[in-house]
Amino acid sequence: MAGKEKGKLHIHINLGTLVFLVIVVYLMAYMLTYIGKDKLAIYEVSASDIVDNIEGTGVILRQENLVNAAQDGYINYYVQDGAMVNKNGVVYMIDTTGEIQDYLKKVLEKKNTMSLDEKEQIIEKLKIFSEGYTDNHFSLSYETQNDINNTLLDYTDAMLTEHKAELEEKYGKDSYVEATSAQEGLVSFVSDGQENLKQSQVSEKTFLSKAKMSDLRTNKKQKAGSPVYRFIKGQDWQLMVPVGQNGYNRLKKRAEDNSSIQVTFQKDNFTTTTSYRCLKQNGKYYVILSFDNYIQRYLNQRYLSVSLTLSETNGLKIPSSSLVKKSVYRIPKSFLVHGGNSAEKDQLNIMETNKKGEKVLRQTSAIVYKTNDKYAYVVSKDLKTGIIISETDKQKIYTIKDSDKVEILGVYMVNKGYAVFALVDMVERNGDYCIVSTSGSKIELYDRIILNSDTVKEGQVIY
């Protein structure tokens, strides 16, 4: 007996230890399940829009030409850069002796301060630069520098008009020659040598060269035939933008319904609407924007970066991952009827045959997701293929077919703490997000929806 007792193994397990081990195993199992489970996320519906646009840099085509000096001499201008001149209006004078040039230098040296108006113009140009500058448009800094230099030169030229009578008295009319404009138009004092560029001449090389505008004004003596200003006739101009084959096809298709488009100029964020046409030339694809205004705004630019808005859709923004499809029945709208105590048409009459062989109606409830002039999209526990529904007077019946089963798009709304299917009417989709209509959807701004719809089921309690 003693030997048998000696061979026995006695295991003593404390009850507290056992409970602790059970709790540890449970927690580990829960953690492993949680780690392997898709995480539930909730998204708050926001208002937004999707803009479908094409961006590009185009070349400006205008009616313009360079005007050359009629004879040797120093050139001094009567008008400012960008000014409109009339036919036979005086644009500049040629100082044949150089005496007037020396006189204007002395006057300028005495003028060592700027007027308030001069300062305001400089500040305005710097403000435009600050608002329009981005790292993608660094060239704007050079354009602004040129604008300010032109403004300062304009003040020098303005002194000629102020002291004209004094100059005539001091040096006589024979000391200079006034040059007039042959027709009405705009005057610019910068040139890039592309004044004669025509649409048919535009090629890929046009956009690679990007010749910069240089100032034609100088205090040095000019020879006859030297360009002294650029003349721009009329208000009509065009911007020819390379858009690639895809952009060309999209714009071409859009032009079938709408030949005008919204254009935003990236230089100054100015937006307008204009007509356009598509062109295929030398194997390249272009859109040509036509304008009859704003020519002075971009008078000294040859290249302009623009954004073309093909469409802009406003609505409610939701993640594409929140979308879920639901199978419903599409039935003729007239078969929806009122319930006994309801003002809403949310009931169906199911036609059945009783034991006596009589056709009787049994009313059942339905969830109506949407209706139009002809159909209602519903679900009901009693609807399936072969079921007959009837109008209340039994005059019309309808047999449910397999083809009546369709899918509608929606999301799971969790405003009440559990997942409820809510219909959405998607009007635009762009990558990870989409825009749904505010009028055709059953969700509203700030509603809470399931971000990842595949992680829940309809009716599931969320919190």
Side-chain angles (χ1 to χ4, degrees):
M1 289 294 291
K4 290 180 180 181
E5 290 180 0
K6 185 177 181 180
K8 287 182 180 181
L9 178 66
H10 296 277
I11 301 175
H12 299 282
I13 300 176
N14 184 277
L15 182 60
T17 303
L18 181 62
V19 171
F20 175 76
L21 290 173
V22 170
I23 292 173
V24 170
V25 171
Y26 173 79
L27 289 175
M28 289 181 65
Y30 179 82
M31 289 177 65
L32 289 173
T33 303
Y34 179 79
I35 292 172
K37 187 178 179 180
D38 291 330
K39 304 301 182 295
L40 184 68
I42 295 175
Y43 174 85
E44 187 174 84
V45 176
S46 59
S48 187
D49 58 80
I50 288 180
V51 179
D52 183 15
N53 58 18
I54 294 175
E55 294 186 349
T57 299
V59 61
I60 294 177
L61 306 174
R62 290 175 285 237
Q63 297 184 65
E64 56 186 343
N65 62 276
L66 291 177
V67 178
N68 300 324
Q71 63 184 79
D72 295 353
Y74 296 90
I75 307 299
N76 292 285
Y77 299 92
Y78 283 111
V79 297
Q80 292 186 356
D81 186 66
M84 172 70 74
V85 294
N86 297 321
K87 182 178 180 181
N88 298 322
V90 179
V91 180
Y92 67 97
M93 60 92 80
I94 302 175
D95 175 10
T96 58
T97 64
E99 292 178 328
I100 295 176
Q101 188 78 1
D102 292 335
Y103 175 79
L104 291 175
K105 285 182 181 179
K106 293 177 182 178
V107 174
L108 182 60
E109 289 173 359
K110 293 180 181 179
K111 179 181 169 60
N112 55 13
T113 60
M114 296 177 66
S115 67
L116 180 61
D117 180 62
E118 294 168 353
K119 291 178 181 178
E120 287 179 349
Q121 289 191 48
I122 298 297
I123 291 172
E124 182 62 26
K125 292 183 185 296
L126 290 172
K127 181 180 178 183
I128 293 173
F129 165 73
S130 177
E131 293 175 349
Y133 176 80
T134 64
D135 290 338
N136 295 329
H137 302 97
F138 185 73
S139 61
L140 183 60
S141 59
Y142 298 109
E143 294 174 7
T144 302
Q145 181 181 354
N146 289 335
D147 285 346
I148 293 174
N149 288 338
N150 290 341
T151 301
L152 295 173
L153 284 169
D154 286 341
Y155 301 143
T156 306
D157 300 333
M159 289 191 300
L160 181 63
T161 304
E162 295 175 10
H163 297 271
K164 183 179 179 181
E166 185 178 341
L167 290 170
E168 287 183 1
E169 182 180 347
K170 187 176 182 66
Y171 301 105
K173 290 186 177 181
D174 295 336
S175 61
Y176 64 89
V177 176
E178 292 183 333
T180 59
S181 174
Q183 53 188 321
E184 182 181 85
L186 294 168
V187 171
S188 171
F189 299 135
V190 296
S191 168
D192 62 355
Q194 299 190 88
E195 288 74 25
N196 296 318
L197 182 65
K198 306 300 180 187
Q199 174 191 301
S200 60
Q201 298 172 323
V202 174
S203 66
E204 189 174 7
K205 291 182 179 178
T206 305
F207 300 93
L208 295 175
S209 63
K210 290 193 176 181
K212 293 182 179 180
M213 292 284 183
S214 57
D215 206 312
L216 297 171
R217 290 175 291 189
T218 177
N219 56 8
K220 297 180 180 179
K221 188 175 182 178
Q222 296 281 70
K223 291 184 178 181
S226 300
V228 290
Y229 70 90
R230 180 165 54 102
F231 179 81
I232 299 91
K233 181 182 178 182
Q235 290 289 319
D236 295 335
W237 58 289
Q238 295 178 323
L239 187 67
M240 193 167 175
V241 187
V243 291
Q245 186 173 2
N246 181 55
Y248 173 89
N249 292 336
R250 292 164 67 196
L251 287 162
K252 189 83 171 175
K253 183 178 180 180
R254 183 183 182 278
E256 295 174 1
D257 300 319
N258 190 354
S259 60
S260 63
I261 195 166
Q262 180 177 292
V263 182
T264 300
F265 296 92
Q266 296 180 357
K267 171 179 167 59
D268 53 6
N269 291 321
F270 175 68
T271 299
T272 187
T273 300
T274 192
S275 60
Y276 76 95
R277 63 185 178 89
C278 300
L279 174 70
K280 185 179 179 182
Q281 180 171 285
N282 299 324
K284 299 299 179 180
Y285 299 87
Y286 303 93
V287 59
I288 299 177
L289 309 170
S290 298
F291 302 91
D292 59 7
N293 205 341
Y294 319 116
I295 195 166
Q296 285 176 284
R297 194 181 191 105
Y298 307 110
L299 190 67
N300 291 338
Q301 269 74 48
R302 179 65 60 190
Y303 298 93
L304 284 174
S305 296
V306 294
S307 176
L308 310 177
T309 302
L310 277 68
S311 65
E312 186 171 1
T313 306
N314 300 311
L316 300 174
K317 179 181 178 181
I318 62 172
S320 299
S321 61
S322 67
L323 296 173
V324 60
K325 293 180 179 178
K326 186 175 182 64
S327 180
V328 300
Y329 284 98
R330 182 181 61 191
I331 64 171
K333 184 180 177 181
S334 60
F335 287 90
L336 282 177
V337 297
H338 292 289
N341 299 315
S342 173
E344 299 291 331
K345 288 187 175 182
D346 57 1
Q347 302 289 314
L348 295 171
N349 290 322
I350 306 294
M351 180 171 280
E352 300 174 332
T353 303
N354 63 15
K355 293 180 180 179
K356 297 179 181 181
E358 300 171 332
K359 299 293 183 182
V360 296
L361 300 180
R362 176 174 61 86
Q363 198 168 82
T364 186
S365 60
I367 299 175
V368 183
Y369 287 104
K370 70 172 181 176
T371 61
N372 54 35
D373 294 339
K374 192 174 181 180
Y375 295 106
Y377 296 78
V378 304
V379 293
S380 172
K381 59 182 178 64
D382 294 316
L383 277 188
K384 60 183 179 179
T385 301
I387 290 293
I388 300 173
I389 56 178
S390 171
E391 293 184 351
T392 304
D393 56 10
K394 300 183 183 179
Q395 294 297 313
K396 290 183 180 180
I397 62 173
Y398 183 82
T399 302
I400 302 297
K401 304 181 292 294
D402 284 337
S403 58
D404 293 326
K405 202 165 189 178
V406 297
E407 288 185 332
I408 59 174
L409 199 62
V411 296
Y412 288 133
M413 189 163 58
V414 293
N415 292 346
K416 297 180 179 180
Y418 56 93
V420 177
F421 180 86
L423 179 79
V424 296
D425 178 22
M426 186 169 66
V427 293
E428 193 77 34
R429 187 167 185 166
N430 187 1
D432 294 334
Y433 288 90
C434 58
I435 300 295
V436 301
S437 167
T438 54
S439 58
S441 303
K442 298 300 181 183
I443 59 174
E444 297 179 353
L445 188 63
Y446 306 127
D447 276 344
R448 293 160 61 81
I449 63 174
I450 297 296
L451 177 65
N452 39 351
S453 60
D454 57 343
T455 60
V456 299
K457 294 182 179 180
E458 188 171 4
Q460 178 179 330
V461 176
I462 306 301
Y463 54 84

